Each structure stands twice: as C-alpha cells, then as structure tokens.
Amino acid sequence: MKQPSPKRNKLRPPQVPAISLPRPALLKRLGEAADDGRLLSLLRAPLGYGKSTLLAQHVLALSDSGLPWAWYRLDDSDNQPLELLAQLCHALELPIPDLTPGRAAEASLWTTLLNHLESREARFTLVLDDLHLLRSRNACRYLDELLRHPPKHLHLLAACEGEPAIALSHLQRDQRLQTLDVRDLVLDSGEIRELASARGQSLDSDLVYLLRAESEGWFSGVLFGLGTCSGAKLSDFSSVDAPAFLSQHAFEQVARFFHEEVLQRLAPPLLRFLSRLSVVSAFDTRLAAYIGGQDNAAQLIHQLQRQDLFIQQRKGERLVFRLHPLLRRTLYQSLHQQDPNLLNQLHLQAADWLLTQRHYAEAVYQLGRARDFNRLLAALEQHCFDLLREGQVNSIVDFLAKVPGENAPEHFTLAVTEASTVIVTNDITHASACLQRLQRLIRRHEVPERRSERIHQTLAFLRSRLAALGGNFNHGLRLVDRAMDQYPASSAATAVLLFNRAICLFSLGRAHQASSTAGRALAELEALGFSGYTNMLQLLLGQIELAQGDVEKAGARFLGLHSPPGAPGSFYDLFQQLGQGIVLLEQNHLEQAAQRLSQAEAIALAFPHSAGLPWVLHYQACRLLAQGETRLARSRWDEARRLARQFKLFALYRQIGAYQARLAGCEHDQDFILAWLKEWHGCRRRYGAELMPEEWLAYAWVQRHLGQHASARQIADNLHELAEAESLQRLRLDLHLLDATLHRDSGDREAALGSLEQALQLATRHGFGQLMQLEGQALGELFRQLLNPQTRRQLGLEQPLPPPERLARLLRGLHSEVDVAHQPLPEPLTRREQDVLRRMARGQGNQQIADGLYISLSTVKTHINNLFRKLDAGDRDSALQAARALKLVD
C-alpha cells in the first residue's frame, strides 16, 4: 500500500485574522495548564465562539517562546484509524513506510507515534482541532490510550463542539483536565469595544450594549453586528425601535450563517422538533414533548446538546433549557413564514400547559404572542405579583407594549400591573405615565370598589419610589408616612412603601432608622413568600452594614442569597452579584470584585428594562480607580452618569457626580468642578441641607481645593457628628483623610499624622481595604512618616501597626514610598523561597521555575504554597502585589 499523503491544510493552524482580538486572560490559562499538571485543555463551545482562533494565537505564542508544537484538524476521514494515525505521523513529521492495511499497520504506526512522543525530553504541545468529528470507536481508542498513559512531556489542546467521544472523567477526577466553555469564551463589553476599535470602528456605549445583549457575547454574532453598524450611533436610528432595527440590520447574515453552517446538517425530524422549541423562550423535557410532538423529547434534547447546537442549560431553573436568542429568532421566523397558523396554535398550546404548571411569566408571553389579549389581561391581573416574584421584568414590560393601543391607555388592570413593575424596573418615565393613568381612572370613578385600597397604595409607592430615585428624599418620607397612616395593615404594598422609606433614610445618612425599616420590610415580604424581590432589600441592608463598618456581615449576607450558576435566570440575581462585588471592592479584592461586577453587568444587559446598568457601571468605575486606571474609571463614570440622567435616576446621577468632583479636585480639573458646583447649588436651593453625605463630603473637598478651608472644616465637623450618631464608619474613614489634608495645609504635621493614624486603625478594625484612593494618593509622604517607628514613638502612638500583608493592601498605591525595612515578615522567607519568588515576578510558570532551579515540580508547588501562607495571599497576583509592596522583589 502507498502511504497516505499528508493533507497540508489540516496540519497547520488557521491564519489569525489581521484584525483580531487578543485574549490574554484565556491565553494565560492555556499557557499555565501544563505547569499546573493538566494533561488536556479542552475548548468546548458551539460553532463561532473563536475556539480555533484562540488555539492559533496560543501556538503563535509557543513559537515565540521557542516551544515545539504540532497541529492537526480532524475531519470525517479520521474515523478510519489508519488514516488518523498516518496523518498524526505527518503532523509530527515522522516517516511512514509502505504498509498493508490492517491491524498490523495500525499497530506499527501507533508504536512509532508513542515512541516518538516518549523520546521527547521537553514539553511538547499537540493541538487537535474539531475533535467532535472523531466518533469511530476504533479511532477513539487510540486517543483514549494516549490520555490514560500519556508521555511525560506531552500536553494536549483540543477544540470541540459538544461532547467528544473519548473518555474524560478520569482526567476530571485526577484534576488533569481544564475545560473552557461558553462562559469563558463569550465577549464582554470591553472586548466588544476593543474589537470594534481594532476594526477602526468607534461605537458609543449604547451600540456596545445592544451588540452584547443581542448576541449574548457570541463571537460570530458580534462580528456580524459590527459589520452592519460601522460608524453608526444610536441617534441614527431615532425614528425606529433601535434595538429591533439594529438586530434586523445584522440578522439576515446571522440567519444565513445558521442555515448554512448548522441547520442544514440536521435530519428533518430533528430540525422540525428544534423549530417548534423556538416558540418558547425556555422549556423543560415535558414542555418540549408537549409542543414538539415527540415522546422522546429528552433523548432529542440530549442529542442536540451533544452536538452543541446552541442549547443552554440553566441550573437551578424550573424551565431548564433555552435556545440561544439568535438561533431561536432564526427558527421562529422560518416557522412563521412556513406556517403562521401552526405557530399561533403552538403559542396557545404552550400557554395552556404553562399556566397549569404555574410558569406565569412564560404563559403570559405566549398569550401575548398569540394575541389573545382577553386571556392575557386576566392572567396579568391574577398573577401580577407572581410575575414580580419570578423577576420577569422584561416579560411584563414587553407584554404591556404588545397590547393594542385602544385597550392600553385606560384599562385598570394594565395600569395597576404596569405600576407594579416600577417596583422593580426603576423606570421613572413609565412611573410618571402610570401615575397619570391611575389619576385619570380615579377622577372618572373607573376604579373597582373592591380595588380602592390597592389603587391608593399603588399611587403611594409609585410617588415615593419616584421621590427616592429622583433624590427628593424628604418628600418621599412624607409620602410613605402618610400612606402608612391610612393603610397600616401589612401587605406587599406596605412592605414596598417601607422599602422606599428605608432608601430615603439611608440616602440622607440616617442609617439606624434605615436598617430597622428595611429589616421590617424584608420580614414582611419573606412572610408573603417573596424570594426574589427581597434580594433588592438585602442589597440595601448590605450597603448599610458596609457603611457602618460591618464588612464581614455584609459579605455573609450576599453569599447566602440564591444565585444559580450559568446564565442568569432572574433579574434579581443582579443584586446578589452586585452586593458581592461591592463587598470585595471594599475589602480591596479587586480581581474577584471585577468578576462579580462583570456578572452583574451581564445580568443588567440581559434585562434592559431594569435600568440597573448605571449602578453597575458606577461600582466598576470605583474598582478601576482602585486599580489606578483613572482614565478608564472616568470614562465609566461618564457613561454611568449619562445613563442615570437618561433614565432620570437623579439620586444616582448626583452620587456619581460627587465621586467625579473629588476626582476632578485631585486632577485640578477646574471645568468639571465649576459645572458640578452649579448643579450642587441648584440641589441646595431645592432641598436645603437635606443632601446626601457623599455630596456634602465632595463639596468639602471642593471647598478645600478652592482654598476655602474654613468652609471645608465646618462641613467636616457637621459630617463627623452625623457619622458618630449613625455609626457611619466608612464616612468617618473619609473624614479622617480630609482632616489630615486640612491639618497638613495649615502646617500642623502632628495633627495630620494623628488623623491618618485614626484612619489606619479604623480601616484595620472594620476590614476596609484601601487608603490610597482619590485624595489619599496625595498623602503618601505623611503615610511614610507614620510608618516610621521613631515617628510613632515621638507621637506616642501605642497601637500596633497592621501586619505587613494587611498594610501592603491598605497602602496599595504607596509602593516604594512605604518604608518596609521596619516591617519584616513574621516568618522570614527562606533562600529557596526567595529564588522562587523572584522567578515568579519575572513571569515564569511552575515548570520553568523547576527547570531553572533544578528541582521537581512538586517542590516548586510546596515553595509557592509557603509563599502564599507567609504573604497572606490566595493567588500569584496578590502574592506578588504584597511582595512588591514589602520590597521583597522589584
């Protein structure tokens, strides 16, 4: 037999596009996998998520480092074992003799391959692309053997759609498998903006938002979207519904891609089943069998999952499966074109089943799609609070938007239902419209007598929510107190009124009353069975605890909330992720905070009616500032403030403005300061002294910047009284830094150091994470003096300093200015630990360190674990940060 010729196009990686997106975090994970003892790194995701491109970028990095690799892209012909083994020999550049087909030939080639891999004395990477195409048991057994008895220096990388046909559970058991899936490969907002920029496109924040929301970060969907909005801005689409227009603009290409690359490969019965599933936004096996007309629905779903046909499984959800929105839209439009009567029938069938199973949000959605508005109104009236419990914000708002115009304006059920959604959505424009509609109903005596109390409570919580979000806090308190006097009996409406009252109280700095009121509201809602909406109250209570210095209690509160893994199932999960992000930010765990805030952003994007995005962006800006990325922080605050103004969330708008004014003072940005002062004086004329403490603190810093020290001192004294009375420890910390600055300005060095000492001890006592943000950066020299033992003795400071690792975090931005010579580690590093630390600082992986020091990999890991313990660190990054702050490495 003539030896099989090499298929050259299968032996090389695809060309990395000239305009591509570098993904350093993912490439780092691939690069470190072998150091961490992983034999196989598997990229598993549907078509179009950039798996092959990422692997191609990785092998380019290997080449740059002088590390050997080989690439092989599988196809259907490789299910013939002899063909597979021959092509692998070509990939490894091994000679192949003439062979007679049969088991003996296979055995000979396999022996050649194994002996070659065993003979390698340094790490060798083999990349297998399109692994899902290998299905033959005879062919798979060779890869199974390679994974069970691998050569010492072999590292495997593979890309796969769906589940590979080789056994992997033993690798999972032994922690030798690294899997990157959809959650790892989706693009976030920053990556979409970076990709657009690389293509010469400048997208405003709204278009980035739309691209991510519509595509859910699917790489190919983003690329199609970018191809249709080059040079566009949201204002270009002002005459139409922008999100729908933008999606339709790109959708024809997306639909063509799905038909050409995915759907035409499916057998007709499977395609018909999948098309019927597009009728519902989520399903389980029972619903799939009911509307799909297939008794073996569970088997078919599993088959679709094995092929990775864009079916997402949402753990913790009752309707556990969903199609990717763009695939669902493709299938739905095809079904609508082919048989609209069948489509309407399927909607009604689904609604019947969903109502009997108490899936109210999805049921009402089906009735809206079927345009059965009488049943839709009846379901809305009966299940309004059930819908709110489910957190289906998008659903309710979308249902109402689809009701014909002749019914919508004055219908009582619609008015009350839409008003109830404002509890969650914080949509001030809709809230104002709801108020006007309800007031018209009252004037015309069209409110059912049995609903009179409910309508007045609805008016009260609408008005008080508008006051809280709009920043008119005292007015909000008066509205709530008046309503509670009239309707004191506990109900969901009174609990919401209490929630609004707690928001107003906390915004004014009255933390004790806010905590008590929020706790009462939480207890009433939990008694009524509200388990999702209560996350909003938990966030408020956690923020109060953070303000009062109980960081650990706040962290425990958020960890206890429900948050199913995978794709976000409920809008209310936003508050759990946001809460955890805020706690981690306060503790200065910035990388972990970034992850939580990114998850919160994804949920906010998935629920655009919630108006939750500006809150997330505000805390992302705080995190960026803590990391020293001032320009990005300023940009994120600009975006958050623009959205807050767009949504008429003026309380948040003012809060963000206060942070930006302090940053402007640090940067001597006189233009921003003057603009902010104009807004501040406008609020002062309208609300008097009843402004947020954050606003007063920012005004004090601005007064100091303008040279009005006496005014700044008076404001600080007033805020000290408030902080003391309400146990606002975070405010006290900020005020100590202001005190230190004012003392330094007046030349009183001893008093300035005394204020910094109070700040340092307070931060240590309450678990606050950093002192070197905003104005703290300018106090570096004073902090350096404060850490000097001689200075501390002269000032009579008897309180011990925090441990070195804690000090390094608190003074994260101080770097070399901190005199750490007097802060030795309690347990000094050994000489070998110092060697390992220096190599870590140079970016070497575990295997490189082992090779360079001529020690085993396990010994390296032991030294690194000792370093983590001595530096009080949980990972490499935090260990190196602590070591640099202590001047143990450069």
Side-chain angles (χ1 to χ4, degrees), residues 45-203:
L47 182 71
Y49 275 94
K51 303 182 296 297
S52 298
T53 299
L54 183 65
L55 290 178
Q57 291 172 323
H58 177 67
V59 297
L60 283 177
L62 291 176
S63 296
D64 291 342
S65 302
L67 298 174
W69 55 271
W71 181 286
Y72 186 60
R73 177 175 55 82
L74 295 121
D75 61 21
D76 288 331
S77 67
D78 293 305
N79 287 296
Q80 298 296 323
L82 192 60
E83 174 71 15
L84 170 66
L85 297 175
Q87 295 301 327
L88 286 175
C89 284
H90 287 308
L92 298 174
E93 299 180 344
L94 299 177
I96 303 177
D98 290 339
L99 298 169
T100 301
R103 286 296 181 91
E106 291 179 26
S108 175
L109 288 181
W110 183 234
T111 300
T112 299
L113 282 166
L114 284 182
N115 288 340
H116 172 78
L117 293 173
E118 289 285 357
S119 68
R120 287 187 172 271
E121 296 182 356
R123 184 191 306 169
F124 177 75
T125 301
L126 176 60
V127 182
L128 300 175
D129 199 8
D130 289 344
L131 181 59
H132 56 281
L133 296 177
L134 195 69
R135 292 293 176 190
S136 159
R137 178 178 299 179
N138 288 333
C140 286
R141 65 188 178 90
Y142 290 108
L143 286 186
D144 281 331
E145 182 180 345
L146 192 65
L147 292 174
R148 291 185 184 279
H149 309 287
K152 182 179 180 181
H153 298 295
L154 178 65
H155 180 59
L156 286 166
L157 294 175
C160 185
E161 295 173 22
E163 298 177 12
I166 53 178
L168 298 177
S169 58
H170 63 99
L171 294 179
Q172 290 175 320
R173 178 198 64 196
D174 298 336
Q175 296 185 330
R176 305 200 68 192
L177 173 67
Q178 173 181 243
T179 302
L180 274 63
D181 58 19
V182 169
R183 291 171 294 183
D184 302 295
L185 296 171
V186 293
L187 301 180
D188 61 25
S189 295
E191 289 174 318
I192 292 174
R193 188 177 284 107
E194 185 179 353
L195 183 58
S197 178
R199 293 164 60 103
Q201 297 173 242
S202 179
L203 301 186

Side-chain angles (χ1 to χ4, degrees), residues 385-421:
F385 278 109
D386 295 310
L387 292 166
L388 290 172
R389 287 189 186 98
E390 293 178 18
Q392 298 297 335
V393 185
N394 282 3
S395 302
I396 301 173
V397 178
D398 288 342
F399 306 152
L400 296 168
K402 291 180 175 67
V403 176
E406 61 270 17
N407 290 337
E410 309 299 344
H411 194 287
F412 169 76
T413 298
L414 289 176
V416 173
T417 301
E418 187 166 10
S420 300
T421 67

Side-chain angles (χ1 to χ4, degrees), residues 544-552 727 729-730 766-768:
I544 296 171
E545 288 159 354
L546 287 175
Q548 293 185 317
D550 203 338
V551 179
E552 290 188 5
S727 302
Q729 307 301 338
R730 191 64 184 82
H766 291 285
F768 296 126

Side-chain angles (χ1 to χ4, degrees), residues 746-777:
S746 65
D748 192 342
R749 170 180 171 273
E750 186 171 331
L753 289 170
S755 294
L756 286 189
E757 173 69 3
Q758 292 183 69
L760 185 63
Q761 297 298 339
L762 188 148
T764 303
R765 186 163 58 251
H766 291 285
F768 296 126
Q770 190 173 149
L771 295 171
M772 299 300 295
Q773 294 182 36
L774 289 172
E775 301 87 3
Q777 295 178 4

Side-chain angles (χ1 to χ4, degrees), residues 135-297:
R135 292 293 176 190
S136 159
R137 178 178 299 179
N138 288 333
C140 286
R141 65 188 178 90
Y142 290 108
L143 286 186
D144 281 331
E145 182 180 345
L146 192 65
L147 292 174
R148 291 185 184 279
H149 309 287
K152 182 179 180 181
H153 298 295
L154 178 65
H155 180 59
L156 286 166
L157 294 175
C160 185
E161 295 173 22
E163 298 177 12
I166 53 178
L168 298 177
S169 58
H170 63 99
L171 294 179
Q172 290 175 320
R173 178 198 64 196
D174 298 336
Q175 296 185 330
R176 305 200 68 192
L177 173 67
Q178 173 181 243
T179 302
L180 274 63
D181 58 19
V182 169
R183 291 171 294 183
D184 302 295
L185 296 171
V186 293
L187 301 180
D188 61 25
S189 295
E191 289 174 318
I192 292 174
R193 188 177 284 107
E194 185 179 353
L195 183 58
S197 178
R199 293 164 60 103
Q201 297 173 242
S202 179
L203 301 186
D204 66 17
S205 300
D206 291 306
L207 286 180
V208 172
Y209 169 93
L210 291 175
L211 273 176
R212 180 173 177 184
E214 291 290 316
S215 67
E216 293 192 346
W218 176 43
F219 211 130
S220 292
V222 171
L223 289 174
F224 283 126
L226 288 174
T228 60
C229 63
S230 179
K233 293 185 178 180
L234 192 66
S235 57
D236 298 336
F237 311 125
S238 57
S239 61
V240 294
D241 179 39
F245 180 85
L246 186 66
S247 298
Q248 186 60 40
H249 202 50
F251 181 67
E252 291 180 5
Q253 296 179 43
V254 172
R256 188 179 304 115
F257 177 84
F258 275 125
H259 282 295
E260 292 175 352
E261 303 292 338
V262 178
L263 300 178
Q264 70 175 3
R265 299 182 301 179
L266 299 181
L270 194 58
L271 178 58
R272 185 166 53 250
F273 175 71
L274 195 61
S275 297
R276 285 178 167 234
L277 294 183
S278 71
V279 172
V280 292
S281 55
F283 54 92
D284 61 10
T285 55
R286 295 176 301 156
L287 177 56
Y290 186 76
I291 62 173
Q294 299 287 342
D295 293 335
N296 62 336

Side-chain angles (χ1 to χ4, degrees), residues 579-598:
Q580 288 187 1
I582 295 171
V583 171
L584 291 165
L585 180 61
E586 195 64 73
Q587 294 172 323
N588 207 30
H589 298 312
L590 301 182
E591 294 303 324
Q592 298 97 313
Q595 294 172 8
R596 293 297 181 183
L597 293 175
S598 178

